[in-house]
Amino acid sequence: MDFSEQEEEENNHNQRSNNKPSSSSSSSSSSSSSSSAGAAASSSSNRQSSSGNSGSRSGGNSVNNNNNNGSSSSDDDDDDVEVEKASGYEEEEEERDLFGSDNEDYVNTPSVSPIPVPTLPPIRNTNHQTRGNFGRGRWQSGFQNGRGNGLLPRPAHFNQRQNYGYGRYSNVRQDERFVSEMKFLKTEETLSRKCIAFQEPCEVACYSRVEDGDVYFDDRSLRLFKRLISEDVGADLNEGFETFIAKRDLASEGFGNLLASIRNKNIPLQNIHFVTFRNNLNKILATAYIRNEPWEMGVHKRNGVVYLDVHKLPERPQSDLDRRRCYWGYCFENLATEDSARADGEGIHHIDANVEFCSVIKTKLGAHRIIMGAEMDCCDSTDDGRRFYVELKTSRELDYHTEERFEREKLLKFWIQSFLAGVPYIVVGFRDDAGRLVRTERLRTKDITHRVKLKNYWQGGVCLAFADEVLCWLYGTVKENEDYILQFAQPFNRLELLQAPSCPEVIASHVQQL
């Protein structure tokens, strides 16, 4: 074979060698130790392919060089490093110990900072200056902590807080009579979602009390409403105050009259849950919104029936103005009713607040059947002769500042009292500060809730739902032949059931006569 044929044979061999990139790639990847070996190998292969092609054009020395491409050499390693640096990929730098002795910054940093710790100014608690020694500090009132006096009471009897705190000692009770409590945990929104059925009241009995205090089981003391009451606008409600006979405190005697009327009509009590005066239910329903008026009542369970007795709380001594304002209400009742004993044009005199007519009503609130006594002011009749009762009220003339309170509180009480007894109409006599009748207004009981609902003051359904919660808790808590006192007192966030010493004689006697 001559020299030209040998050179052509070697060129063909080099050409076939340059057409195998996989072998070059594997050679480069074995010589590289970095994580980017694949990219470096590809660049190395292209570099070698280029040099191979140039070698094939340059002559015999290049041919000998390309024949040794299949083996690993130091020259190939140097080429790979150069390719990696040119491509921007460098080997990972060895990790350093930041807290080692070779870190100058760490070694030269002092252990104690030369910069002083800033001191905050003392905080002065000026929000509760009238709370005495109850601040956010220790229990000791003289503890100087720079933040004012303590909020929490000392761990001992503290009359000012009545043991109703919010700290560690909030549940300590000094009253040994305590039996149970019902906390007001449900919001108005939650109660408004409950739909409590209330059965239409039905009168099952009645009784009358006359001037000398005798009681009759009829309606002789019931008065007739005077429809032309608007003609008396301008009348002086102070007339007859000197001869006024105030109402006596009957204590449990009044409840005895209610029980006697039940026995007189032989009303069965086997399926009855509560026997009470309407006044007690008024208090329970109104507590859904009015949380600042204390009250209490007696609770006595006999033969499955819970008797709620009225308890009158001590009141401050009445001034002459207080007695006059009370009399204005009785005087308006006398003006708004027909009085056969008073001749036309005769003045008002000798008003006796002890004369009353009481209707005995049967109804059902939720799952509880109730018999209650309700004093009625007067009655009227429809064109077909059906009798209905009318509630008479007095109030100070309204202005811009007093209208909201009237609708929030007084209308709430007016509605509860009339709704529970099924009274369809309320006649309000508005008077001035001197006791002169300014105007009269007739309200329909069912329209009152619509009037206040538009202003979002209160909801009748919330009152019924709250009363149902109370009656369920009360009936399920009291025990047979046990006596209790149900009270609503400060801090006005719960109802408390206390043990009572005894049962009133009128209830014990009533149970024996059944």
Side-chain angles (χ1 to χ4, degrees), residues 235-246 323-324 326-328 330-332 334-335 342 346-353 435:
D236 185 8
L237 299 180
N238 293 285
E239 186 178 357
F241 175 71
E242 292 75 14
T243 59
F244 173 61
I245 302 175
R323 289 191 293 270
R324 281 188 177 274
C326 180
Y327 173 76
W328 292 343
Y330 288 108
C331 185
F332 177 73
N334 194 278
L335 275 178
R342 188 176 74 243
E346 185 180 359
I348 299 174
H349 59 86
H350 195 65
I351 296 178
D352 190 349

Side-chain angles (χ1 to χ4, degrees), residues 88-105:
Y89 294 98
E90 299 182 359
E91 293 183 359
E92 291 184 359
E93 194 174 314
E94 185 180 356
E95 293 185 359
R96 296 176 59 193
D97 185 6
L98 297 179
F99 304 100
S101 59
D102 58 339
N103 189 347
E104 271 183 36
D105 294 337

